Amino acid sequence: MTTRLSAAELLEVVADADSFECWDSPAVEYPVDQAYADELAAARAKTGLDESVLTGAVSIRGRRVAILLSEFAFLAGSIGVAAGDRLVTAIHRATAEGLPLLALPTSGGTRMQEGTVAFLQMVKITAAITAHKAAHLPYLVYLRHPTTGGVFASWGSLGHLTVAEPSALIGFLGPRVYEALYDDTFPGGVQTSENLQAHGLIDAVRPPEQLGEIVDRALRIMTDTPRCRRLVADPPDWDVEDVPAWASVLASRRSDRPGVRELLFNAAPDVLPLNGTGQGESDPGLILALVRFGDMPCVLLGQDRRGQTPTTPLGPAALREARRGMRLAQDLQLPLVTVIDTAGAALSKDAEEGGLAGEIARCIADMVDLDTPTVSLLLGQGTGGGALALVPADRVLAAQHAWLSPLPPEGASAIVHRDVAHAAEMADRQGIRSVDLRRAGIVDLIIPERPDAAEEAQQFCERVGAALHRELAELIARR
């Protein structure tokens, strides 16, 4: 059973001691009738608050953050006119002061006693959040037990990062309402934070005690100014051995070759994983995360070689998740780093009906249109449209044995020679190697493998991390 913390108790857990600065003016009552006035009076006596929301600024790990905080004990945290106006005023103030915004809702939704006028407050709140995000300011959400109705369908679902309380009831239609309307019980286990995470709707499920660290880490990546804001030295003059294309293909397919997970483990001091598209999909073949390489922040989209299998190849959901990452980079004005390592996108009925081709096209279009620095890293296999979707960037780096091709060499051989025996020959003819790509002006820098990334995983990953740090520093310095 989830223990519900009051607003005051949650502040004690999350915020630095004695740091809360209240922004609220006294609530103005919305006139309805005496019965409602009596309910308001009882709620105020019970909670010691004048409304269902508190707003203000706090310090979290020394960082000043604006907060929107619900109190469920006040008429189930419902949002009426006064509460909505209070939220909108606070969001506008946070935007004007350039503060990141943390929302901690717990609510049954719209205050029924105030009807449609209260219901439409969700539009005003959403408009204020949209303006805050348009100012490239972070918006973080922590969904508490329970969060339902219009609150979940507006300011509860717009976070750049969304975390939820364990075992929290989170959903659009409250179970009691569903039962009353349909004379049936809502299916169990659906409206839980854990189920929402499994379906790519929220990023993580964490207890309140961990929220301070999550906020601190997120803002360290989203808002801290890198120390290095000057043009850096010329790229290293690495010698790269000229090896046959087929040798690189075989090296890229080694099961012990380091992938994006190993890269992050060895070369990134800060990693905050995100999860899913936010629209009910998640794909194990793609990692979306907020990352720092050295002191250089970025949004990272990494094709995960461990998450792509013959039964779970890279599908349309992975590309929709990638597009979420691109929007996040645009919103926060963070650089975008893409890591390409795929044997190819899914070839299936589900992929076709799921719009795979269109998602590839939209990924390419979104990357080309991004108004932030972009770096693409060819880390291993780069097969077909799944790879092409993440290639367009200001700078393209490649591991020595990485390659890029419209089809795997075996597929190219099947088309040209009607067999797969000519795969090595086709790899040579098509110019898929990193050295061929650099010669063609597609790749800007090749990162050596000595002699193979699988033989020196840690050193290779550190070399890649240093190269990414350098490219990000240079691109940021040029802005």
Side-chain angles (χ1 to χ4, degrees):
M1 178 101 179
T2 298
T3 301
R4 184 183 294 123
L5 297 178
S6 70
E9 289 168 337
L10 187 60
L11 275 177
E12 288 184 6
V13 171
V14 175
D16 298 343
D18 301 319
S19 68
F20 177 60
E21 170 196 343
C22 185
W23 288 354
D24 299 332
S25 300
V28 177
E29 286 193 20
Y30 182 75
V32 177
D33 54 36
Q34 188 57 46
Y36 178 44
D38 292 343
E39 287 185 84
L40 286 173
R44 287 167 181 159
K46 176 182 179 181
T47 63
L49 303 176
D50 68 346
E51 252 304 338
S52 62
V53 293
L54 293 170
T55 72
V58 296
S59 175
I60 298 177
R61 308 292 174 92
R63 299 176 183 277
R64 192 162 185 257
V65 178
I67 65 164
L68 314 174
L69 180 59
S70 296
E71 175 53 78
F72 193 81
F74 194 107
L75 298 182
S78 57
I79 302 300
V81 172
D85 287 346
R86 177 172 288 181
L87 291 169
V88 169
T89 299
I91 296 164
H92 286 326
R93 179 169 174 177
T95 306
E97 294 189 15
L99 291 177
L101 184 59
L102 171 64
L104 304 112
T106 172
S107 175
T110 300
R111 190 166 299 170
M112 292 296 110
Q113 296 90 330
E114 297 183 20
T116 300
V117 176
F119 180 49
L120 291 174
Q121 288 291 81
M122 305 307 174
V123 177
K124 293 170 63 176
I125 298 166
T126 299
I129 294 292
T130 301
H132 184 82
K133 294 169 70 174
H136 308 304
L137 294 168
Y139 178 51
L140 314 179
V141 176
Y142 185 64
L143 300 170
R144 297 153 60 206
H145 172 71
T147 302
T148 62
V151 169
F152 183 47
S154 57
W155 54 290
S157 291
L158 295 172
H160 291 121
L161 166 69
T162 303
V163 183
E165 200 174 14
S167 303
L169 168 64
I170 301 169
F172 177 55
L173 189 63
R176 188 172 64 179
V177 177
Y178 181 91
E179 186 172 347
L181 292 176
Y182 300 105
D183 194 26
D184 197 4
T185 302
F186 196 83
V190 174
Q191 296 177 312
T192 66
S193 47
E194 288 79 7
N195 190 51
L196 266 59
Q197 182 187 21
H199 285 81
L201 288 163
I202 61 175
D203 294 306
V205 177
R206 296 289 185 271
E209 295 76 18
Q210 295 181 16
L211 184 57
E213 167 57 28
I214 292 169
V215 170
D216 180 46
R217 193 189 316 169
L219 296 181
R220 192 159 60 231
I221 299 169
M222 291 177 175
T223 65
D224 280 6
T225 302
R227 293 185 302 273
C228 177
R229 293 190 65 83
R230 57 182 175 80
L231 289 172
V232 294
D234 291 336
D237 186 20
W238 279 319
D239 291 326
V240 177
E241 183 182 358
D242 192 340
V243 299
W246 189 244
S248 286
V249 171
L250 295 178
S252 74
R253 292 174 174 174
R254 285 185 56 163
S255 61
D256 55 350
R257 181 178 178 85
V260 65
R261 291 182 182 273
E262 291 80 6
L263 171 63
L264 294 175
F265 179 81
N266 287 287
D270 270 317
V271 178
L272 184 60
L274 304 180
N275 173 59
T277 62
Q279 299 174 325
E281 294 177 293
S282 185
D283 191 307
L286 186 94
I287 290 174
L288 167 60
L290 295 167
V291 175
R292 281 193 311 134
F293 291 103
D295 62 340
M296 292 296 152
C298 66
V299 175
L300 179 132
L301 306 173
Q303 292 173 340
D304 182 11
R305 65 194 342 260
R306 315 291 177 211
Q308 299 172 67
T309 68
T311 56
T312 59
L314 203 71
L319 299 172
R320 285 188 274 271
E321 191 168 355
R323 294 181 65 212
R324 177 196 170 193
M326 294 172 196
R327 291 190 298 271
L328 186 64
Q330 183 69 48
D331 270 3
L332 297 172
Q333 289 293 280
L334 288 174
L336 179 75
V337 171
T338 66
V339 179
I340 296 162
D341 193 0
T342 181
L347 302 175
S348 67
K349 175 179 181 291
D350 287 344
E352 293 292 337
E353 294 176 349
L356 178 64
E359 289 303 329
I360 292 171
R362 284 183 281 273
C363 272
I364 296 170
D366 287 354
M367 280 203 70
V368 169
D369 198 43
L370 266 184
D371 184 29
T372 60
T374 52
V375 179
S376 288
L377 168 67
L378 297 170
L379 188 61
Q381 299 184 79
T383 301
L388 185 66
L390 301 187
V391 166
D394 300 323
R395 296 281 290 176
V396 179
L397 315 184
Q400 178 180 341
H401 292 309
W403 50 276
L404 183 65
S405 174
L407 285 174
E410 294 89 343
S413 177
I415 289 175
V416 174
H417 297 284
R418 300 185 181 277
D419 62 40
V420 297
H422 296 79
E425 175 188 332
M426 291 303 301
D428 280 328
R429 284 177 56 186
Q430 289 194 305
I432 69 173
R433 299 178 303 169
S434 59
V435 292
D436 299 321
L437 298 172
R438 183 173 60 180
R439 191 176 300 120
I442 297 167
V443 163
D444 299 295
L445 178 70
I446 299 175
I447 303 164
E449 304 181 31
R450 296 172 175 157
D452 185 319
E455 305 294 339
E456 47 139 16
Q458 181 177 343
Q459 297 91 331
F460 169 74
C461 289
E462 290 173 350
R463 201 176 303 132
V464 173
L468 287 170
H469 178 271
R470 183 203 167 279
E471 297 296 336
L472 290 170
E474 182 171 343
L475 289 170
I476 290 173
R478 287 179 176 177
R479 289 179 66 81

Coordinates of all heavy atoms in Angstrom, one line a residue, residues 356-435:
L356 N 7.2 2.2 -40.4 CA 8.6 2.2 -40.3 C 9.2 3.2 -41.3 O 10.1 4.0 -40.9 CB 9.2 0.8 -40.5 CG 10.7 0.7 -40.5 CD1 11.3 1.1 -39.1 CD2 11.2 -0.7 -40.9
A357 N 8.9 3.1 -42.6 CA 9.5 4.0 -43.6 C 9.2 5.4 -43.3 O 10.1 6.3 -43.4 CB 8.9 3.6 -45.0
G358 N 8.0 5.8 -42.9 CA 7.7 7.1 -42.5 C 8.5 7.6 -41.4 O 8.9 8.8 -41.3
E359 N 8.7 6.8 -40.4 CA 9.4 7.2 -39.2 C 10.9 7.4 -39.5 O 11.5 8.3 -39.0 CB 9.3 6.2 -38.1 CG 7.9 6.1 -37.4 CD 7.5 7.4 -36.9 OE1 8.4 8.2 -36.4 OE2 6.3 7.7 -36.8
I360 N 11.5 6.6 -40.4 CA 12.8 6.9 -40.9 C 12.9 8.2 -41.6 O 13.8 9.1 -41.3 CB 13.3 5.8 -41.9 CG1 13.4 4.4 -41.2 CG2 14.6 6.2 -42.6 CD1 13.7 3.3 -42.1
A361 N 11.9 8.5 -42.4 CA 11.9 9.8 -43.1 C 11.8 11.0 -42.1 O 12.5 12.0 -42.3 CB 10.8 9.8 -44.1
R362 N 10.9 10.8 -41.1 CA 10.7 11.9 -40.2 C 11.9 12.1 -39.3 O 12.2 13.2 -38.9 CB 9.4 11.6 -39.4 CG 8.2 11.9 -40.2 CD 6.9 11.7 -39.4 NE 6.5 10.3 -39.2 CZ 5.8 9.7 -40.1 NH1 5.3 10.3 -41.2 NH2 5.5 8.4 -39.9
C363 N 12.6 11.0 -38.9 CA 13.9 11.1 -38.2 C 14.9 11.9 -38.9 O 15.5 12.8 -38.4 CB 14.4 9.8 -37.8 SG 13.8 9.0 -36.3
I364 N 15.1 11.6 -40.2 CA 16.0 12.3 -41.0 C 15.6 13.8 -41.1 O 16.5 14.7 -40.9 CB 16.1 11.7 -42.5 CG1 16.6 10.3 -42.4 CG2 17.0 12.6 -43.4 CD1 16.5 9.5 -43.7
A365 N 14.3 14.1 -41.4 CA 13.9 15.4 -41.4 C 14.1 16.2 -40.1 O 14.5 17.4 -40.1 CB 12.4 15.5 -41.9
D366 N 13.8 15.5 -39.0 CA 13.9 16.2 -37.7 C 15.4 16.5 -37.4 O 15.7 17.6 -36.9 CB 13.3 15.3 -36.6 CG 11.8 15.3 -36.6 OD1 11.2 16.0 -37.4 OD2 11.2 14.5 -35.8
M367 N 16.3 15.6 -37.7 CA 17.7 15.8 -37.5 C 18.2 16.9 -38.3 O 19.0 17.8 -37.9 CB 18.5 14.5 -37.7 CG 18.4 13.6 -36.6 SD 19.9 12.4 -36.5 CE 21.2 13.5 -36.0
V368 N 17.8 17.0 -39.6 CA 18.3 18.0 -40.5 C 17.8 19.4 -40.0 O 18.5 20.4 -40.2 CB 17.8 17.7 -41.9 CG1 18.0 18.9 -42.8 CG2 18.5 16.5 -42.5
D369 N 16.6 19.4 -39.4 CA 16.0 20.7 -39.0 C 16.4 21.1 -37.6 O 16.0 22.2 -37.2 CB 14.5 20.5 -39.1 CG 13.8 21.9 -39.2 OD1 14.3 22.8 -39.9 OD2 12.7 22.0 -38.5
L370 N 17.1 20.3 -36.9 CA 17.4 20.6 -35.5 C 18.3 21.9 -35.4 O 19.3 22.1 -36.1 CB 18.2 19.5 -34.8 CG 17.4 18.4 -34.0 CD1 18.4 17.4 -33.4 CD2 16.5 19.1 -33.0
D371 N 17.9 22.7 -34.4 CA 18.7 24.0 -34.2 C 19.6 23.8 -33.0 O 19.7 24.7 -32.1 CB 17.7 25.1 -34.0 CG 18.4 26.5 -33.8 OD1 19.5 26.6 -34.4 OD2 17.8 27.3 -33.1
T372 N 20.3 22.7 -32.9 CA 21.2 22.4 -31.8 C 22.4 21.7 -32.4 O 22.3 21.1 -33.5 CB 20.6 21.6 -30.7 OG1 20.2 20.3 -31.2 CG2 19.4 22.2 -30.0
P373 N 23.6 21.7 -31.8 CA 24.7 20.9 -32.3 C 24.4 19.5 -32.4 O 23.8 18.9 -31.4 CB 25.8 21.3 -31.3 CG 25.4 22.5 -30.7 CD 24.0 22.5 -30.6
T374 N 24.9 18.8 -33.4 CA 24.6 17.4 -33.5 C 25.9 16.6 -33.9 O 26.7 17.1 -34.7 CB 23.5 17.1 -34.6 OG1 23.9 17.7 -35.8 CG2 22.2 17.6 -34.2
V375 N 26.0 15.4 -33.3 CA 27.2 14.6 -33.6 C 26.6 13.2 -33.8 O 25.9 12.7 -32.9 CB 28.2 14.6 -32.5 CG1 29.4 13.6 -32.8 CG2 28.7 16.0 -32.2
S376 N 27.0 12.5 -34.9 CA 26.7 11.1 -35.1 C 27.9 10.3 -35.0 O 29.0 10.6 -35.5 CB 26.0 10.9 -36.5 OG 24.7 11.4 -36.5
L377 N 27.8 9.1 -34.3 CA 28.9 8.2 -34.1 C 28.5 6.9 -34.7 O 27.6 6.2 -34.3 CB 29.2 8.1 -32.6 CG 30.1 6.9 -32.2 CD1 31.6 7.2 -32.8 CD2 30.1 6.7 -30.7
L378 N 29.3 6.4 -35.7 CA 29.1 5.1 -36.3 C 30.0 4.2 -35.4 O 31.2 4.2 -35.4 CB 29.6 5.0 -37.7 CG 28.8 5.8 -38.7 CD1 29.6 5.9 -40.1 CD2 27.4 5.3 -38.9
L379 N 29.3 3.4 -34.5 CA 30.0 2.6 -33.5 C 30.3 1.2 -34.0 O 31.2 0.5 -33.6 CB 29.3 2.6 -32.2 CG 29.9 2.0 -31.0 CD1 31.2 2.7 -30.7 CD2 29.0 2.0 -29.8
G380 N 29.4 0.6 -34.8 CA 29.5 -0.7 -35.3 C 28.8 -0.9 -36.6 O 29.1 -0.2 -37.6
Q381 N 27.9 -1.8 -36.7 CA 27.1 -2.0 -37.9 C 26.2 -0.9 -38.2 O 25.6 -0.3 -37.3 CB 26.3 -3.3 -37.8 CG 27.1 -4.6 -37.6 CD 26.2 -5.8 -37.6 OE1 25.8 -6.3 -38.6 NE2 25.8 -6.3 -36.4
G382 N 26.2 -0.5 -39.5 CA 25.3 0.6 -39.9 C 24.5 0.2 -41.1 O 24.8 0.6 -42.3
T383 N 23.5 -0.6 -40.9 CA 22.7 -1.2 -42.0 C 21.4 -0.5 -42.3 O 20.6 -0.3 -41.4 CB 22.4 -2.7 -41.7 OG1 23.6 -3.4 -41.5 CG2 21.6 -3.4 -42.8
G384 N 21.2 -0.1 -43.5 CA 19.9 0.3 -44.0 C 19.3 1.6 -43.4 O 20.0 2.4 -42.8
G385 N 18.0 1.7 -43.5 CA 17.3 2.9 -43.1 C 17.4 3.1 -41.6 O 17.3 4.2 -41.1
G386 N 17.5 2.0 -40.8 CA 17.6 2.2 -39.4 C 18.9 3.0 -39.0 O 18.8 3.7 -38.0
A387 N 19.9 2.8 -39.7 CA 21.1 3.5 -39.5 C 21.0 4.9 -40.1 O 21.4 5.9 -39.5 CB 22.3 2.8 -40.1
L388 N 20.5 5.0 -41.3 CA 20.4 6.3 -42.0 C 19.6 7.3 -41.2 O 19.9 8.5 -41.3 CB 19.7 6.0 -43.4 CG 19.6 7.2 -44.3 CD1 21.0 7.7 -44.8 CD2 18.8 6.9 -45.5
A389 N 18.6 6.9 -40.5 CA 17.8 7.8 -39.7 C 18.5 8.6 -38.7 O 18.1 9.7 -38.4 CB 16.7 7.0 -39.0
L390 N 19.7 8.1 -38.3 CA 20.4 8.8 -37.2 C 21.7 9.4 -37.7 O 22.6 9.9 -36.9 CB 20.7 7.9 -36.0 CG 19.4 7.3 -35.3 CD1 19.8 6.6 -34.1 CD2 18.4 8.4 -35.0
V391 N 22.0 9.4 -39.0 CA 23.3 9.8 -39.6 C 23.4 11.3 -39.7 O 24.4 11.9 -39.3 CB 23.6 9.1 -40.9 CG1 24.7 9.8 -41.6 CG2 23.9 7.7 -40.7
P392 N 22.4 12.1 -40.2 CA 22.6 13.5 -40.5 C 23.1 14.3 -39.3 O 22.3 14.3 -38.3 CB 21.3 14.0 -41.0 CG 20.5 12.7 -41.4 CD 21.0 11.7 -40.5
A393 N 24.2 14.9 -39.3 CA 24.7 15.6 -38.2 C 25.8 16.6 -38.6 O 26.3 16.6 -39.7 CB 25.3 14.6 -37.1
D394 N 26.0 17.6 -37.7 CA 27.1 18.5 -38.0 C 28.5 17.9 -38.1 O 29.3 18.3 -38.9 CB 27.2 19.6 -36.9 CG 25.9 20.3 -36.7 OD1 25.2 20.6 -37.7 OD2 25.5 20.6 -35.5
R395 N 28.7 16.8 -37.3 CA 29.9 16.1 -37.4 C 29.6 14.6 -37.3 O 28.7 14.2 -36.5 CB 30.8 16.5 -36.2 CG 31.3 17.9 -36.2 CD 32.5 18.1 -37.1 NE 33.7 17.5 -36.7 CZ 34.8 17.5 -37.4 NH1 34.9 18.0 -38.6 NH2 35.9 16.9 -36.9
V396 N 30.3 13.8 -38.1 CA 30.1 12.4 -38.1 C 31.4 11.7 -37.8 O 32.4 11.9 -38.4 CB 29.6 11.9 -39.5 CG1 29.4 10.4 -39.4 CG2 28.3 12.6 -39.8
L397 N 31.4 10.9 -36.7 CA 32.6 10.2 -36.3 C 32.3 8.7 -36.6 O 31.2 8.2 -36.6 CB 32.9 10.3 -34.8 CG 32.8 11.8 -34.2 CD1 33.2 11.7 -32.7 CD2 33.7 12.7 -35.0
A398 N 33.4 7.9 -36.7 CA 33.3 6.5 -37.0 C 34.4 5.7 -36.3 O 35.6 6.1 -36.3 CB 33.3 6.2 -38.5
A399 N 34.0 4.6 -35.6 CA 35.0 3.7 -35.2 C 35.7 3.1 -36.4 O 35.0 3.0 -37.4 CB 34.4 2.6 -34.3
Q400 N 36.9 2.6 -36.2 CA 37.6 2.1 -37.4 C 36.9 1.0 -38.1 O 36.9 1.0 -39.3 CB 39.0 1.6 -36.9 CG 39.9 1.0 -38.0 CD 41.2 0.5 -37.5 OE1 41.6 0.9 -36.4 NE2 41.8 -0.4 -38.3
H401 N 36.3 0.1 -37.4 CA 35.6 -1.1 -38.0 C 34.1 -0.8 -38.2 O 33.4 -1.8 -38.5 CB 35.9 -2.3 -37.2 CG 37.3 -2.8 -37.3 ND1 38.0 -2.9 -38.5 CD2 38.2 -3.1 -36.3 CE1 39.2 -3.3 -38.2 NE2 39.4 -3.4 -36.9
A402 N 33.6 0.4 -38.0 CA 32.2 0.7 -38.2 C 32.0 0.8 -39.7 O 33.0 1.1 -40.5 CB 31.8 1.9 -37.5
W403 N 30.8 0.6 -40.2 CA 30.5 0.7 -41.6 C 29.1 1.2 -41.8 O 28.2 1.1 -40.9 CB 30.8 -0.6 -42.3 CG 30.2 -1.8 -41.7 CD1 30.7 -2.6 -40.7 CD2 28.9 -2.4 -42.1 NE1 29.8 -3.6 -40.4 CE2 28.8 -3.5 -41.2 CE3 28.0 -2.1 -43.0 CZ2 27.6 -4.4 -41.3 CZ3 26.8 -3.0 -43.1 CH2 26.7 -4.1 -42.2
L404 N 28.8 1.6 -43.0 CA 27.5 2.1 -43.4 C 27.1 1.6 -44.7 O 27.9 1.8 -45.7 CB 27.5 3.6 -43.3 CG 26.1 4.3 -43.6 CD1 25.1 4.0 -42.5 CD2 26.3 5.9 -43.6
S405 N 25.9 1.0 -44.9 CA 25.5 0.4 -46.1 C 24.0 0.4 -46.3 O 23.3 0.2 -45.2 CB 26.1 -1.0 -46.2 OG 25.6 -1.7 -47.4
P406 N 23.5 0.5 -47.5 CA 22.0 0.4 -47.7 C 21.5 -1.0 -47.3 O 20.3 -1.1 -46.9 CB 21.8 0.7 -49.1 CG 23.1 0.4 -49.8 CD 24.2 0.7 -48.8
L407 N 22.3 -2.0 -47.4 CA 21.9 -3.4 -47.0 C 23.1 -4.0 -46.4 O 24.3 -3.6 -46.6 CB 21.4 -4.2 -48.1 CG 20.0 -3.9 -48.7 CD1 19.8 -4.8 -50.0 CD2 18.9 -4.3 -47.7
P408 N 23.0 -5.1 -45.6 CA 24.2 -5.9 -45.2 C 24.8 -6.4 -46.5 O 24.1 -6.6 -47.5 CB 23.6 -7.0 -44.3 CG 22.2 -7.1 -44.7 CD 21.7 -5.7 -45.0
P409 N 26.1 -6.6 -46.5 CA 26.8 -7.1 -47.7 C 26.1 -8.3 -48.3 O 26.1 -8.5 -49.5 CB 28.2 -7.3 -47.3 CG 28.4 -6.4 -46.1 CD 27.1 -6.3 -45.4
E410 N 25.6 -9.2 -47.5 CA 24.9 -10.4 -48.0 C 23.7 -10.0 -48.8 O 23.4 -10.7 -49.8 CB 24.5 -11.3 -46.8 CG 25.7 -11.9 -46.0 CD 26.2 -11.0 -44.9 OE1 25.8 -9.8 -44.9 OE2 26.9 -11.5 -44.0
G411 N 23.0 -9.0 -48.3 CA 21.8 -8.6 -49.0 C 22.1 -7.9 -50.4 O 21.5 -8.2 -51.4
A412 N 23.2 -7.2 -50.4 CA 23.7 -6.6 -51.7 C 24.1 -7.7 -52.6 O 23.8 -7.6 -53.8 CB 24.8 -5.6 -51.4
S413 N 24.8 -8.7 -52.1 CA 25.2 -9.8 -53.0 C 24.0 -10.6 -53.5 O 24.0 -10.9 -54.7 CB 26.0 -10.8 -52.1 OG 26.4 -11.9 -52.9
A414 N 22.9 -10.7 -52.7 CA 21.7 -11.4 -53.2 C 21.1 -10.6 -54.3 O 20.5 -11.3 -55.2 CB 20.8 -11.6 -52.0
I415 N 21.1 -9.3 -54.3 CA 20.5 -8.5 -55.3 C 21.3 -8.6 -56.6 O 20.8 -8.8 -57.7 CB 20.3 -7.0 -54.8 CG1 19.2 -7.0 -53.8 CG2 20.0 -6.1 -56.0 CD1 19.1 -5.6 -53.2
V416 N 22.6 -8.4 -56.5 CA 23.5 -8.3 -57.7 C 23.8 -9.7 -58.2 O 23.8 -9.9 -59.5 CB 24.7 -7.5 -57.3 CG1 25.7 -7.5 -58.5 CG2 24.4 -6.1 -56.9
H417 N 24.1 -10.6 -57.4 CA 24.6 -11.9 -57.8 C 23.6 -13.1 -57.6 O 23.9 -14.2 -58.0 CB 25.9 -12.3 -57.1 CG 27.1 -11.3 -57.4 ND1 27.8 -11.3 -58.5 CD2 27.6 -10.3 -56.6 CE1 28.7 -10.4 -58.5 NE2 28.6 -9.7 -57.4
R418 N 22.5 -12.8 -56.9 CA 21.5 -13.8 -56.6 C 22.1 -14.9 -55.7 O 21.6 -16.1 -55.8 CB 20.9 -14.4 -57.9 CG 20.2 -13.3 -58.7 CD 19.5 -13.9 -59.9 NE 18.8 -12.9 -60.7 CZ 17.7 -12.4 -60.5 NH1 17.0 -12.8 -59.5 NH2 17.2 -11.5 -61.3
D419 N 23.0 -14.6 -54.9 CA 23.6 -15.5 -53.9 C 24.2 -14.6 -52.8 O 24.2 -13.4 -52.9 CB 24.6 -16.5 -54.4 CG 25.8 -15.8 -55.1 OD1 26.3 -14.8 -54.5 OD2 26.3 -16.2 -56.1
V420 N 24.7 -15.2 -51.7 CA 25.4 -14.4 -50.7 C 26.9 -14.7 -50.7 O 27.6 -14.2 -49.8 CB 24.8 -14.8 -49.3 CG1 23.3 -14.3 -49.2 CG2 24.9 -16.2 -48.9
A421 N 27.3 -15.5 -51.6 CA 28.7 -15.8 -51.7 C 29.6 -14.7 -52.0 O 30.9 -14.7 -51.8 CB 29.0 -17.0 -52.7
H422 N 29.1 -13.6 -52.6 CA 29.9 -12.5 -53.0 C 29.8 -11.3 -52.0 O 30.1 -10.2 -52.3 CB 29.4 -12.0 -54.4 CG 29.6 -13.0 -55.5 ND1 28.8 -14.0 -55.7 CD2 30.6 -13.0 -56.4 CE1 29.2 -14.7 -56.7 NE2 30.3 -14.2 -57.2
A423 N 29.4 -11.6 -50.7 CA 29.2 -10.6 -49.7 C 30.5 -9.8 -49.5 O 30.5 -8.5 -49.5 CB 28.8 -11.2 -48.4
A424 N 31.7 -10.4 -49.4 CA 32.9 -9.7 -49.2 C 33.3 -8.8 -50.4 O 33.7 -7.7 -50.2 CB 34.0 -10.7 -48.9
E425 N 33.0 -9.3 -51.6 CA 33.3 -8.5 -52.8 C 32.4 -7.3 -52.8 O 32.8 -6.2 -53.1 CB 33.0 -9.4 -54.0 CG 33.2 -8.6 -55.3 CD 32.7 -9.5 -56.5 OE1 32.8 -10.7 -56.4 OE2 32.2 -8.9 -57.5
M426 N 31.1 -7.4 -52.4 CA 30.2 -6.3 -52.4 C 30.5 -5.3 -51.4 O 30.4 -4.1 -51.6 CB 28.7 -6.8 -52.2 CG 28.2 -7.6 -53.4 SD 28.2 -6.7 -55.0 CE 27.2 -5.3 -54.5
A427 N 31.0 -5.8 -50.2 CA 31.5 -4.8 -49.2 C 32.6 -3.9 -49.7 O 32.6 -2.7 -49.4 CB 31.9 -5.6 -48.0
D428 N 33.5 -4.5 -50.5 CA 34.6 -3.7 -51.1 C 34.0 -2.8 -52.1 O 34.4 -1.6 -52.1 CB 35.6 -4.6 -51.7 CG 36.6 -5.2 -50.7 OD1 36.8 -4.5 -49.6 OD2 37.0 -6.3 -50.9
R429 N 33.2 -3.3 -53.0 CA 32.7 -2.5 -54.1 C 31.8 -1.3 -53.7 O 31.9 -0.2 -54.3 CB 31.9 -3.3 -55.1 CG 32.7 -4.3 -55.9 CD 31.8 -5.2 -56.8 NE 30.9 -4.4 -57.6 CZ 29.9 -5.0 -58.4 NH1 29.8 -6.3 -58.3 NH2 29.1 -4.2 -59.1
Q430 N 31.1 -1.4 -52.6 CA 30.1 -0.4 -52.2 C 30.8 0.7 -51.3 O 30.1 1.7 -51.0 CB 29.0 -1.0 -51.4 CG 28.1 -1.9 -52.3 CD 26.8 -2.2 -51.6 OE1 26.8 -2.8 -50.5 NE2 25.6 -1.8 -52.2
G431 N 32.0 0.6 -50.9 CA 32.7 1.6 -50.2 C 32.1 1.9 -48.8 O 31.8 3.0 -48.4
I432 N 31.9 0.8 -48.0 CA 31.2 0.9 -46.8 C 32.1 1.2 -45.6 O 31.6 1.5 -44.5 CB 30.3 -0.4 -46.5 CG1 31.3 -1.6 -46.2 CG2 29.4 -0.7 -47.7 CD1 30.5 -2.8 -45.7
R433 N 33.4 1.0 -45.8 CA 34.3 1.1 -44.6 C 34.4 2.6 -44.1 O 34.1 3.5 -44.8 CB 35.7 0.7 -45.1 CG 35.9 -0.7 -45.5 CD 37.3 -0.9 -45.9 NE 37.8 0.0 -47.0 CZ 39.0 0.1 -47.4 NH1 40.0 -0.6 -46.8 NH2 39.3 1.0 -48.4
S434 N 34.9 2.7 -42.9 CA 35.1 4.0 -42.3 C 36.1 4.9 -43.2 O 35.9 6.1 -43.4 CB 35.6 3.9 -40.9 OG 36.8 3.2 -40.8
V435 N 37.1 4.2 -43.7 CA 38.1 5.0 -44.5 C 37.5 5.4 -45.8 O 37.8 6.5 -46.4 CB 39.4 4.2 -44.7 CG1 40.2 4.0 -43.4 CG2 39.1 2.8 -45.3

